[in-house]
Structures are given as C-alpha cells and as structure tokens.
Amino acid sequence: MQNLYKTNTAAFIAMSFLVLFSACTPKEKPVDSRPNILFIMSDDHAYQAISAYSDHLIQTPNIDRLANEGILFKNACVTNSICAPSRATILTGKHTHINGKIDNLSAFDTTQVTFPQLFQEAGYQTAMFGKLHFGNNPKGVDDFMILPGQGDYLNPDFITPRGDTTIMGYVTDIITDLTLNWLKEKRNPEKPFLMMYLHKAPHRNWWPRGDKFQKYSKMTFPEPETLFDDYKNRGTAAKTAEMNILKHMKYNSDSKVRHETTDRMGEVLPVVPGNQTWGYKTYARMTDKQKAEYDNVLDSISDYFETNWPTMTDEEKISWKYQRYMQDYLACIESVDENVGRVLDYLDESGLAENTMVIYTSDQGFYLGEHGWFDKRFIYDESFKTPLLIRWPNKITPGTTNEEMVQNLDFAQTFLEAAYINAPGDMQGESLMPLLTGGDSLWTRDAVYYHFYEYPSVHMVKRHYGIVTKEFKLVHFYYDVDEWELYDRLKDPKEMKNVINDPAYTDQVADLKARLARLRLKYKDSQELDKKFVKLAEDRQVKK
C-alpha cells in the first residue's frame, strides 16, 4: 500500500507540473509553488520541557503553536542519542553505521549525499544558520554561518563562506537574527527555500542570557519521581553510567559555583571526574558589561554553596544540584521559545507561512533528573524520544496528535517528498507524508531500531542496540557485558523494572529477538560491524 501511495503521488506530481508549465505562454515564467521548508532544531531539548507535551516545568507558547496549528508526534525518537550522529542521520536519512558518524569522534563519510544537496540541485535556495557540530563547509547550502563544534553561548565565533567571524551577544538571539536577516534580505522570492535554523541551546553547560539567568535563579521546579533512583531491577549499564546529578554534575561548569569558592572549600568536596572549570570559559568570553548581568547571581550561588553544602545530606545535595540544573536549562529554553516566536511571527507577517512547512525538533531527548540523571545516550525514553512538531497549512489538520513510531531517520525523505524531489533509493527512513496528510492507514512500520556506540567514553554509557515498539523495548548491552533488558512500555512507562527473566514475558522475548535480528538485517547492521567499530575505538584509545 505504501509503495502504491508513493507511486500514485509521483504520478500526480508529474501531471501537476506538466499542466502548470503547459499553461504558461512562452513569455510567462511559471510560478514555483513548491513549499518552503523551515527546519528548526535545538540541541538536547527534552520533550518534557515543551508545554505541548507537558507543562509541569515550563511554558513554551511559541513552540506550542506548531502543535496547535499542526501535528505533534508523541513517539518520535532517534536512532543514536548523541549530537553529531543524530545530525548525520537527519542529513543522510541513514543509520550511523552507514553514514560513518557512529559517535562524536568518528569521521562522517563525506561521499554521502545529504538532503540539502538534493534540494539545491532541484532549484531550492538553501541556507543554514547555527549549530551543525561537524564539518566546516556544509554540502548543498548556498549560504551559511555555523558555530565551530559546540560553539559558545556568549559572543560566539562563526564559520562562514567568507571566513570566520565573531558576533557579540547571546547565541540564541544571534542565530535568530541571522535567520531573519536572510529571510528578509537574501531570500530570492522567485524560488522556494530550505532554511536550517539550528540552535545551540539548551546544550550543556546551560548559560542562559543574563536577564533569564536572573529570573530563573529565583524559581523552584518539581522533582521527577525517579530523581533518587537506586537502579534496582535494572542491569549493569544503568548502575555504572556516569550521568548522576550528585556524583557527576560539576560544581563549577554545571552548577555555576565560582571556582575560587570550590578552591577554598578544598577537601570538603568529593571529587567529580573531569575538568571542573571548562564551563567558565563562557564567562571568560564576556565583556565587563555582560559579566555585570551575571555576577550578583553567581555570587549568591557561590555564597549559598559554601555556607550550606558541607552540612547537607546527599538527598539535599541532589535536590540543590537539580534546582540549579533546571534553573539554567529552562532559562535557555525560554530564549529558544521566544526566538522561535520571532521567526513564526515574521512568516505570518510576510505571508510566507501559508506555503511553508515548519518543523521543530531536537537532535535527541535529554534527562531532566529522571533516574537521577542528566545527559542522554541511553535507549531509555527520556533520551531516546525527541520532540517533533510540524505545521503545514492546508496540508496538516491543526491540533493533530500522532503516536506512530517515527524517527529522525525519516526526516530527509519526508522533506524531499513534500518538495516533489525523488529520494535516493539507499535512504533508510520512511516518508511521514501519509501521517501528515491523513493517510495513516498507509503507515506500516511497527518497530524502530536503535544503536549507541560511544563507549568507553564520557558518561560511560555502555554500547547497546535494541528494538522498540509501542508496547515493548528490548535492549542488548554488549562489549564488556552481555546483558539483555526488556521493558513493558505500557505497564512500566518509567522503565523501572527489567522483565527479561520474567516467565510471563517468555514469548515476547523470543518474538522481539527474532524481530530485532530482522531489523539488523534490514538496516545492514551486524555483529561484524559491531566488532569493527569496537576495534576502531580501541585503536583510537591506543593512539592517545
């Protein structure tokens, strides 16, 4: 049915263009009515911190507009929950073991075709502003200004076709200014456009804009039920990961305690592995005027920490660190939401909204204290799932919600089909067009495949792959362990109990293992590739 849908769609598109062009006299220039694509992606924006999904932490009225005026996907997820690999999958429509970017350190296969290249070849005007995270010359992009690597929150550097430059100000505002300037001043009104508007925020180490830093430092947020998780009934991977708010969140970089304060406290503080002060490089980039917006709050944080930390219980310490985390993380998101609103307002005011597909997503999810964690990487829901909201006037019914298992793997083919561009046959996703346009019965996928590779490395989340359906999640952790986990997603939505050895699930385990083997074959993953990538990582460690 799905192939028939695609065939009929292609035939209809071809006929439409024949009619369009034959109706024009030789002197007339045909109007290119293909839709504009505005792809908005933030970095590490948890779905729990978008009020269209849940309003217990923050209100995001501008991002919510896309759900109210379009569609919200409740089961959108990623193939590999870490920054650069996710972006490589989005660009290529392929799993990371195919495009080469299995982790943040591995090289991207530059022979891969990316969807912006196809848009450019098809006559779209293309632009990219913000965080790409790998490479310095994005393929298929007419105009770009991208952050080098992770970039900086304050006074960021940018890589451009004309050379590197530094722009003074707050990164979320700047990326939006660049995007709006291009739309207003550089866009060719006779061509459709593909705009990739890519935020750095709210990536760690969460430096909000000065006014937001002051505002949110006074706020208190509800704690997740699993903040004090002891990982009972879970496997080795959950117990040994280095993502715990108490043990692994850094005093200086993350909680914003001045390093002069922690130096004075000396042996009172347990050692947190890693560089304590790298996050304060952002502070060092500030002008004196900018620092003045932060200093009073930074002093207050440091004074409270020095006075109270030595006598706090472990639970009190976790709670304090959690509040500091949420204050900064959510303050960053408020700036993202406000700036998304600026762009949506311009689309409305300029008349572009009517023929523009707007997508909001994140490169993956993020832990906001669930299971006592921050960061991502695991196949567990908070990092595996990602926000996905799409508005497309006259195509998507406003206020639609969808619970199908969709992935970032599907984005490229979706955008290409929306723009009447043929997708290469080796892309591995599935176009979401049936789900966007009311053809839900044509959607056939009932399970997705996930594979995480970056171990041993920062946060020490073990290598694992798995299959996820609406009902179950089966995971295999490998390399220095050989452990399986099974979660009943309907009965145990917080994933607190591994039921792999529960006799009641024997049939489900057998069925899911067989389906997982078929998925690995379908996506051209294998035990041989697992061994190859382990060897590459080990060789990289030896070279260090």
Side-chain angles (χ1 to χ4, degrees):
M1 284 298 291
Q2 193 168 4
N3 290 335
L4 177 61
Y5 170 83
K6 289 182 176 178
T7 302
N8 289 341
T9 301
F12 173 76
I13 292 165
M15 287 292 292
S16 298
F17 270 91
L18 283 173
V19 171
L20 173 65
F21 280 86
S22 64
C24 300
T25 65
K27 293 182 180 179
E28 290 177 326
K29 186 173 183 179
V31 176
D32 193 335
S33 61
R34 291 177 295 174
N36 306 308
I37 308 291
L38 172 59
F39 179 68
I40 310 172
M41 184 166 68
S42 53
D43 195 316
D44 293 343
H45 191 170
Y47 63 90
Q48 312 94 286
I50 295 177
S51 48
Y53 286 91
S54 173
D55 62 1
H56 74 292
L57 288 174
I58 191 173
Q59 293 294 321
T60 52
N62 296 293
I63 296 171
D64 290 0
R65 282 176 58 186
L66 300 178
N68 297 333
E69 300 168 10
I71 186 169
L72 178 147
F73 287 89
K74 292 187 173 181
N75 266 320
C77 59
V78 298
T79 66
N80 184 355
S81 184
I82 188 168
C83 298
S86 175
R87 293 157 191 268
T89 290
I90 289 169
L91 286 170
T92 62
K94 298 176 186 177
H95 278 274
T96 53
H97 62 273
I98 300 294
N99 64 48
K101 197 67 180 168
I102 59 166
D103 55 35
N104 279 337
L105 300 175
S106 297
F108 175 67
D109 177 2
T110 57
T111 67
Q112 296 286 327
V113 174
T114 66
F115 78 82
Q117 287 177 277
L118 300 173
F119 271 80
Q120 188 182 57
E121 290 170 4
Y124 268 70
Q125 191 177 13
T126 59
M128 177 186 292
F129 298 102
K131 180 181 175 182
L132 176 61
H133 195 181
F134 63 91
N136 58 12
N137 187 20
K139 297 191 295 183
V141 179
D142 299 326
D143 193 12
F144 65 88
M145 293 184 72
I146 57 174
L147 300 167
Q150 294 289 359
D152 290 289
Y153 275 106
L154 268 295
N155 308 328
D157 300 325
F158 284 89
I159 300 168
T160 84
R162 298 162 293 280
D164 296 355
T165 188
T166 300
I167 302 178
M168 303 302 288
Y170 187 66
V171 68
T172 305
D173 299 332
I174 293 169
I175 292 169
T176 305
D177 292 343
L178 296 172
T179 298
L180 286 170
N181 180 68
W182 188 91
L183 289 170
K184 293 174 182 179
E185 305 295 336
K186 298 183 179 181
R187 180 180 65 86
N188 182 347
E190 295 183 352
K191 283 187 173 186
F193 66 80
L194 165 69
M195 165 62 74
M196 301 187 73
Y197 167 40
L198 310 175
H199 283 293
K200 169 184 171 57
H203 192 280
R204 189 184 183 194
N205 47 28
W206 320 300
W207 278 92
R209 200 174 66 196
D211 58 329
K212 306 294 186 190
F213 189 54
Q214 295 172 31
K215 172 183 174 182
Y216 274 76
S217 69
K218 301 178 179 68
M219 299 173 71
T220 303
F221 299 94
E223 296 177 349
E225 291 180 31
T226 59
L227 180 62
F228 303 102
D229 195 347
D230 62 3
Y231 314 115
K232 182 181 179 182
N233 299 318
R234 259 66 51 77
T236 302
K239 295 180 175 72
T240 58
E242 296 181 357
M243 300 173 10
N244 183 269
I245 286 176
L246 174 62
K247 297 177 182 177
H248 305 113
M249 188 170 275
K250 302 184 191 308
Y251 309 118
N252 308 118
S253 297
D254 298 325
S255 298
K256 309 300 190 297
V257 179
R258 292 192 186 272
H259 60 83
E260 295 90 346
T261 300
T262 53
D263 288 347
R264 282 197 305 272
M265 295 175 72
E267 296 181 359
V268 173
L269 297 178
V271 174
V272 176
N275 185 343
Q276 291 297 311
T277 60
W278 65 271
Y280 261 84
K281 291 178 181 177
T282 299
Y283 183 78
R285 294 181 69 86
M286 298 181 195
T287 64
D288 289 342
K289 183 178 179 181
Q290 289 170 333
K291 287 178 180 178
E293 291 190 87
Y294 294 85
D295 281 339
N296 286 342
V297 176
L298 291 172
D299 289 341
S300 175
I301 291 167
S302 299
D303 290 346
Y304 183 90
F305 183 84
E306 188 167 12
T307 300
N308 294 281
W309 185 265
T311 59
M312 287 181 181
T313 65
D314 281 353
E315 285 198 357
E316 289 170 336
K317 289 174 179 177
I318 292 173
S319 293
W320 183 84
K321 276 191 165 185
Y322 169 77
Q323 293 300 330
R324 277 273 56 250
Y325 171 29
M326 286 300 93
Q327 288 163 358
D328 292 348
Y329 180 89
L330 296 172
C332 290
I333 287 174
E334 184 168 279
S335 287
V336 170
D337 184 69
E338 289 177 356
N339 277 281
V340 167
R342 291 174 60 200
V343 175
L344 295 181
D345 287 347
Y346 175 72
L347 294 181
D348 291 342
E349 294 160 5
S350 64
L352 288 170
E354 198 68 13
N355 194 35
T356 300
M357 175 192 277
V358 181
I359 304 94
Y360 185 87
T361 191
S362 174
D363 50 359
Q364 61 263 323
F366 213 68
Y367 293 100
L368 305 184
E370 298 89 359
H371 306 293
W373 288 333
F374 63 101
D375 209 70
K376 54 249 183 186
R377 300 164 197 267
F378 274 115
I379 196 173
Y380 306 135
D381 268 6
E382 290 82 5
S383 56
F384 166 71
K385 290 172 63 174
T386 196
L388 179 60
L389 308 90
I390 304 177
R391 184 184 76 180
W392 193 8
N394 303 314
K395 298 288 185 180
I396 297 173
T397 302
T400 301
T401 59
N402 185 280
E403 297 190 2
E404 296 298 338
M405 301 298 300
V406 303
Q407 284 191 299
N408 58 350
L409 185 70
D410 305 322
F411 293 177
Q413 282 159 273
T414 302
F415 306 157
L416 290 167
E417 184 171 354
Y420 309 136
I421 302 169
N422 290 326
D426 61 352
M427 283 188 172
Q428 296 181 307
E430 297 184 30
S431 170
L432 304 180
M433 284 291 284
L435 303 179
L436 301 182
T437 57
D440 292 28
S441 61
L442 300 171
W443 184 259
T444 58
R445 178 195 287 155
D446 59 2
V448 295
Y449 180 62
Y450 181 90
H451 199 153
F452 176 79
Y453 298 87
E454 193 169 297
Y455 175 87
S457 188
V458 61
H459 296 303
M460 295 300 285
V461 172
K462 294 186 182 296
R463 292 171 183 255
H464 59 287
Y465 58 83
I467 180 175
V468 185
T469 70
K470 292 179 184 178
E471 298 83 14
F472 296 103
K473 182 177 293 181
L474 179 75
V475 194
H476 181 215
F477 291 92
Y478 69 98
Y479 177 52
D480 57 355
V481 294
D482 182 8
E483 295 181 4
W484 289 84
E485 296 181 4
L486 176 69
Y487 295 93
D488 187 324
R489 301 186 74 203
L490 301 181
K491 293 181 179 179
D492 181 24
K494 291 184 173 58
E495 298 171 319
M496 298 293 285
K497 187 176 182 181
N498 173 20
V499 293
I500 192 70
N501 294 318
D502 187 332
Y505 290 91
T506 300
D507 291 344
Q508 285 88 347
V509 170
D511 174 62
L512 287 166
K513 283 188 175 181
R515 292 170 69 184
L516 175 58
R518 291 196 294 270
L519 278 185
R520 277 169 66 82
L521 187 64
K522 173 183 176 179
Y523 292 121
K524 300 180 182 179
D525 202 2
S526 63
Q527 192 172 17
E528 289 71 30
L529 279 178
D530 298 345
K531 293 176 180 177
K532 171 187 171 182
F533 292 131
V534 165
K535 179 70 164 51
L536 287 173
E538 290 175 342
D539 290 347
R540 195 162 59 205
Q541 288 293 326
V542 170
K543 289 179 182 178
K544 285 184 179 180

